[in-house]
Amino acid sequence: EDVKIGVILGFTGPLESITPAMGAGAEMAMAEVTASGALLDGSTVTSVRGDSTCIDAGAATAAAERLVTSDAVNAIMGADCSGVTGAILQNVARANGVVMISPSATSPGLSSAEDDGLFFRTAPSDARQGVIITEILQSRGVEQVALTYTNNDYGKGLADAFQAAFEAAGGSVTISAAHEDGKADYSAEVGALASAGGEVLVVAGYVDQGGSGIVRSSLDSGAFDTFYFPDGMVGTKLNDNFGAELNGSYGAYPGTDSAGAAKFVELAEAAGFDGTGAFAPESYDAAALIMLAMQAAGSSNSADFKDHVFDVANAPGVEIFPGELAKGLELIAAGTDIDYVGASAVELIGPGESAGNYQEIEFADGVYSTIGYR
Amino acid sequence: MDYLNALVAFLNFVFVPGLAYGAQLAIGALGVTLIYGILRFSNFAHGDTMAFGTAMTIIGTNALLALGITFGPLPTALLALPFGIGATILLVLFIDWLVYKFYRDQKAKPVILVIVSMGVMFVMNGVVRFIIGVRDIQFADGERFLITARDFKEMTGLDEGLAIKTTQAITVVVALIAMALLFWFLNKTRTGKSMRAFSDNEDLALLSGINPDWVVKVTWMIVAALATTAGVLYGLDKSFKAFTYFQLLLPIFAAAIVGGLGNPLGAIAGGFVIAFSEVTITYAWKKVLVYLLPENLEPDGLVQLMSTDYKFAVSFAILIIVLLFKPTGLFKGQSV
Amino acid sequence: MIVVENLVKTFGGFHAVDGASLRIEQGSITGLIGPNGAGKTTLFNVIAGVLKPTSGRVTMMGEDITGLPPHELFHKGLLRTFQIAHEFSSMTVRENLMMVPGAQSGETLWNAWFGRKGIAQEERALMAKADEVLEFLTIDHLKDEKAGNLSGGQKKLLELGRTMMVDAKIVFLDEVGAGVNRTLLNTIGDAIIRLNKERNYTFVVIEHDMDFIGRLCDPVICMAEGHVLAEGTLAEIKANEQVIEAYLGTGLKNKDKVMS
Amino acid sequence: MNPALKNTLLFCFVGFLLLITGILQGWNSALFILNMGLVSSILALGVNLQWGFAGLFNIGVMGFVALGGLATVLVGMPPVGEAWSAGALQVFAGLALGAGTVVGAVVIRKKLVGRARTFGTLAILVIGFFVFRAVFDAGVVAIEAVDPALTGNLGGINIFGPHRDANDMLLPDYFILLAWPMGGLLAAGAAWIIGKTALGLRSDYLAIATLGIAEIIIAVMKNEDWLARGVKNVNGLPRPVPYEVTLQSDPGFIARAASWGLDPVTASTIYTKLCYTVLFAAVLLILLWLAQKALNSPWGRMMRAIRDNETAAEAMGKDVTARHLQIFILGSAICGIAGAMMTTLDGQLTPTSYQPLRFTFLIWVMVIVGGSGNNFGSVLGGLLIWWLWVQVEPMGLWVMNLLTSGLADGSALKDHMIESAAHMRLLTMGVVLLLVLRFSPRGLIPER
Amino acid sequence: MSDPFLIGDAMTGGYGKGPDILHGCTIAAEKGEIAVIVGPNGAGKSTAMKAVFGMLNVNSGSVRLDGEDITRLTPQERVVKGMGFVPQTSNIFTSMTVEENLEMGAFIRRDDFRDTMTQIYDLFPILKEKRNQAAGELSGGQRQQVAVGRALMTKPKVLMLDEPTAGVSPIVMDELFDRIIEVARTGIPILMVEQNARQALEIADKAYVLVQGRNAHTGTGKELLADEEVRRSFLGG
Ligand SMILES: Nc1ncnc2c1ncn2[C@@H]1O[C@H](COP(=O)(O)OP(=O)(O)OP(=O)(O)O)[C@@H](O)[C@H]1O
Ligand SMILES: Nc1ncnc2c1ncn2[C@@H]1O[C@H](COP(=O)(O)OP(=O)(O)OP(=O)(O)O)[C@@H](O)[C@H]1O
Ligand SMILES: [Mg+2]
Ligand SMILES: [Mg+2]
């Protein structure tokens, strides 16, 4: 059998610079499985790409529709932006009963969407991260921060969650200012942030979007010199763009002290793409979960394997890391329970979203490195 | 009360960035306004022309760096700029020959040309991404700062710092020079006047012996030069990314229009109007006021008229208000 | 009928109309002459509401109409033609005329959608009327031509034709004659006289052709530099030194060349 | 070729494209494209009304579409009771104060003269602004505090929904249909305000003003969370057509599907889409009929005259300002209706998705390619360009595969080209657009 | 018989794909001669002028200048050959100042044209007053003066005028005709369309009456003036 997995990401549009690595991540998992020949008695897995455009629900739905009805994909890895993800879920995935695992849609709204058990995400929830950020800041004795977020459901959700958690813990947020991605200039935002002041600037944005623009502008004007970087901001891009200018800044992104994350970066390097790109690990994991669940259900039919996603993702079982998909498939075939850890330490909770384990990073000598796990 | 610190804070967070951003928009707007003034349509492909020129310049810069050539304290990209301009000129002349000429000969309505330029925009969009990819590219080197905030603080002993970047200074200077040159060129030189004549009344220009092909070529060449320069200066200050350049189109158009289409002076003024309205209206004046007011009067809140979410809304609102009082822009622009 | 008091219109610092006062009598055909740039067209534009006066007052039959927009003036029976033809270039010649009459019931959307047969009837009448006017102007063979494709003179005729589509009280003609063939102009002159006699239209005519003025106009007003220079019959005006100097001139100097 | 025949052939061609899509990519895809195409046609019709009929250069289409989308939330969602009691009163009082301030300023401007006028107006505006912010902000904070992760807004007026059957499966909620005219009304209201202020502007100046206003509308929708959750989106809007999953669980439907020889999933998805098709087509036909009637009446003639030469039209007794306002409102209302239909089809409101490229410029492309000034042209343009917009993606990939077929597998250039395939989407779109305009510069179905 | 200096010979043609407007129409001007074209509105006078200037397709017939066949040249090339033309409508650059309009007239001249400009200002004093004003803001008659002035700036070898006196006041019209005679005297052929036909015919050496794109009458100015039928049908009695 040739199993098809749709990869629907915004290959054009505002996220076009991170989606290539995400797509490559997912496809790496598929290639790995195909090579192993262990899935469902030697099935191959092919990826069918679709462009979600990130912003155009109509075009995204049309692309998904084509993938599902014309290419007959067995599952969807995607979409990226929460808006189009919701549209595809409601209009295509549910209607056709196709499983959909998003690597990057973090909107809390999606948690409560009716999904007939078809929708999962490997991205952790914003609420969880808000608590993590608060803990890290407090452990460093920071009491007053300025906050800026990218003006979409991810940024806004995270900012709200963080502000609530931080203030509940006694900290104060001097200003919570939105920034739009892909705009020409961020002096206005930085001006307002600087004026409000704070020990640290929390940048809830994307590293190769407005987030970097804000950091650049803040550094240049001397507005802030210490930053906190949530998941969307952590990437090697930071080292390239800013280097030593960020010494002393810190942050956290999903990951465990398991070897998974590092392994993934290695694999990605071998495959020729940037494994540290935002949501690339989550994409790998999303694709992997789909295939593992298929194996567990013994069927590539969404209706069958949708109930197995939780089983393969969560403990108990043998831990499976990136590059070990073959092992996972064989174990399942042998009837052994597995606990897929993967590149982003997936642990599904509640309505099918990642519980979120985080690794804390800090900049020194122009590069960031992991200093602990939470 | 501390006037100096207040002033420096204001300069650092409002004036200098506003000036630099305004100048960046202005150089872009000069190109848009020139196309509108001479060829009589709003060129939607301008953002992507900028992106193309910058991409070419980046390639040139990389080649120079590979050869070990740098430009001392100035960004190497400036050395590669002529190469970028040259490549862009070739491209736009080719596109004009392939695409626009046909509609000019047909005497198509301006709106057709606008839509055609959207087609060109889509194509260039793809071409640029194909050549250089979609990622964020930083290509600034040399001395980044004329003065950094930290140095300024040490030098003056003030609490507030003032940072001025090399590229900011270059941009402002280039913008003013470009504007003056263009103004002089259009109003004082023979070729410039013939270009205006051509835009005014094509048939009559023909009857006066003006060579329309030449006029069009010169226009595109200047536009290509302006677009590349604008793109490179912007990229040096911020970074290069194809998508952002496309997004730059809106503020650039706004600048050209609020200043008055077809008028170089207007483009400059428009650039600053847009930039400063973005920066000032959403600025939180707390910092400045804290220095100015006696302690017991210090503001609790941020003293921000509007939250930054409304940055664009506000700058557009100002644009609309300007247009309500000056329907063809600050400097009496043209309209078709 | 129309009284203009002390009208001033400035452009920047330049006084295009500079304290002009004049009366136009009901039922007259008033000629308005004056050198190029005397302010005649500007005066028209102010009276017809295209320009707002800087100061001064215009009344029509005792009613103050200063600064009313053109479309309101139209409905009060004040029509004008343009010196530089303002045809609707992408519409046919006939449509150019048919659009003129005001208060067509088909001009409200509701009627356009749900109107009864009434509109069709109205349209037929309009079309007949338009054809009649076109025939009169000798351009009926062009009725389905786009107005933009007319010759310079034909556009002028169309301009005039529009004023003939409705029952006006007063019509301002801005150089209808320029570029119109003289034979046809005579016919037009006859028509103007007829409209004046039969329908009691009042006309104000700007023209540089003294023969034409002479044939039609009784009072003739000569403007110069924005104000009224002289007023009277054409003969009186023609004898006026100032008018001769500023406007009429003394004929060709190079006649000798022709003679030789 | 005679024009009527040519036009018929063109429409047949689009039908043929859809047919091919149906055969090659499945009827679901084809129907989906048709549905969005119908909505696009309506949008194009609205823009054509403004541009083709009256020469108004409105590139703020996006704003009106978004207002239509907003209407679906305000009409379709159930009210959030807690939020209403928390701060609705204050918010509305604040808004009233804001409106009062503006009206007051306008009145003062009319009444006073000279210095006093400037200062009076300014004083009213400044004081009014702060009072407005004080009252309004407090209300907003209260509302947004109500369960921000799920609601945090006032919700809509749909006190009846959602409807469920005995098995707790969702049933269609026809109340949402009310959102379509409401979207039109909302857009019309906005257009009235805009028209009153900005319609005096000419060509490109009007264009940028409308663009600006559209951006302002989007900014408000993104940031005023109390209204429709801002960037956090509103999911789960009710639908006027049966839900696929409900149908799939309905034994009656399964049986019927089986009798057609279809499996329940395919049957239900197609059935639902067909329902939308019928609804959309009905709206389109009504609007098309109205637009045609209007264009070919004396009213249409008057509008064309105004478009050609405003000065002359004014002198011929046509109230240009009033007509402009009228048609601006009408066109915008149509865009609002289409916007509401589109959001209904999506089932969710996503303010971040309103981008000028997609919701303004693409519509303009439809109008111009179809042939501005011609209603049928707009409909054709809407269907055709939308089809292209969706299909250029596979086409781009196909082109790239074709181009690289000669290259060795694994060569760097080939990889690079395949990787860039997604961007070929826009490139292909551009090329097709340029080709169409090259061979019929006045559009496919030009104005007579 | 040797050719006249400028001749549009048996021209047939029309606008774009439309019907032919000209049907074998011939117009010509000798050195030092004033040739006047009259005819009813829409007769094709302007069209004939444009045809001579290469602004529309001439399907058959030819245009010759000084014995050289220029039928295939672009208008621009004809300007370079020394032809000057004042069209009937949109004959000025409205957004440019009066002085710039005149400069544009001298666009192909490489020599110093200040003298010519002074002459033009002498001829039309009002233009000197308004030299820095946008030409679009001028009165109708003033625009006409700018248009003629622009053509004179070229110092053309032949001058073609399409209704130069439309809308100008009698005094300026006289001046204009005077000037035209002077120009002609310097040996420059002048081809002119006029509706002020009687005055024009008085100074015309040669005159054409065009009707529906065809030559209806040809003769000297005086002959036509004397022709009863021509007077009645075309000159207004
Ligand atoms: N928009 C304007 N801006 C500046 N000056 C103007 C404008 N319109 C007209 N003028 C000036 O006002 C004066 C009067 O112009 P107007 O058109 O009224 O003259 P006129 O008497 O109709 O002349 P003509 O007989 O040549 O048509 C002219 O000198 C002209 O240059
Ligand atoms: N651009 C055009 N396209 C199509 N037909 C045209 C165009 N211009 C003029 N015509 C037609 O050609 C015919 C001759 O026009 P032309 O302008 O030569 O007349 P004319 O003799 O100069 O008249 P007038 O004295 O009124 O200026 C007219 O019937 C007119 O409708
Ligand atoms: Mg006049
Ligand atoms: Mg003519």
Side-chain angles (χ1 to χ4, degrees), chain D residues 7 74 100 160 297 401:
Chain D
N7 298 349
L74 299 185
F160 311 108
S297 69
N401 281 329

Side-chain angles (χ1 to χ4, degrees), chain A residues 11-12 50-51 53 55-56 58 61-62 65-66 69-70 83 87 91 94-95 112 114 116 151 153 156 180, chain D residues 25 28-29 32 150 164 222-223 225 231 233 244-245 248 273 346 348 353 355 358 389 393 422-423 425:
Chain A
F11 293 108
T12 64
D51 189 357
T53 73
I55 45 175
D56 181 351
T61 312
E65 194 79 67
R66 182 166 52 75
T69 55
S70 157
N91 298 324
R94 283 188 65 202
S112 61
E114 293 196 41
D116 308 336
N151 203 12
D153 45 3
K156 176 81 177 173
E180 298 282 339
Chain D
Q25 300 181 351
N28 265 309
S29 282
F32 179 77
L150 287 180
R164 288 175 189 274
K222 273 186 179 173
N223 297 311
D225 290 8
V231 292
N233 307 340
E244 294 93 342
V245 270
Q248 286 161 19
K273 292 201 176 69
D346 286 347
Q348 66 174 13
S353 72
Q355 297 275 331
R358 162 72 180 88
W389 184 245
E393 193 200 337
H423 304 296
R425 164 171 194 222

Side-chain angles (χ1 to χ4, degrees), chain C residues 199-219:
Chain C
R199 300 217 201 141
N200 202 24
Y201 281 24
T202 307
F203 282 95
V204 185
V205 183
I206 298 183
E207 199 41 83
H208 290 299
D209 184 327
M210 287 306 115
D211 297 342
F212 186 66
I213 292 277
R215 248 166 54 82
L216 297 184
C217 306
D218 187 359

Side-chain angles (χ1 to χ4, degrees), chain C residues 175 179 182-183 186 247 254 258, chain E residues 41 167 171 178 196 202 233 236:
Chain C
E175 301 201 21
R182 288 303 179 259
T183 309
N186 285 340
Y247 181 60
N254 280 324
V258 186
Chain E
N41 292 116
I171 190 166
D178 272 337
N196 282 319
E202 270 177 24
S233 317

Side-chain angles (χ1 to χ4, degrees), chain C residues 11 14 16 34-42 83 175 208, chain E residues 130 133 137-142 167:
Chain C
F11 294 109
F14 179 78
N36 295 130
K40 306 180 294 293
T41 302
T42 310
Q83 180 172 7
E175 301 201 21
H208 290 299
Chain E
K130 305 240 163 205
Q133 194 165 346
E137 293 171 354
L138 297 183
S139 81
Q142 292 166 342

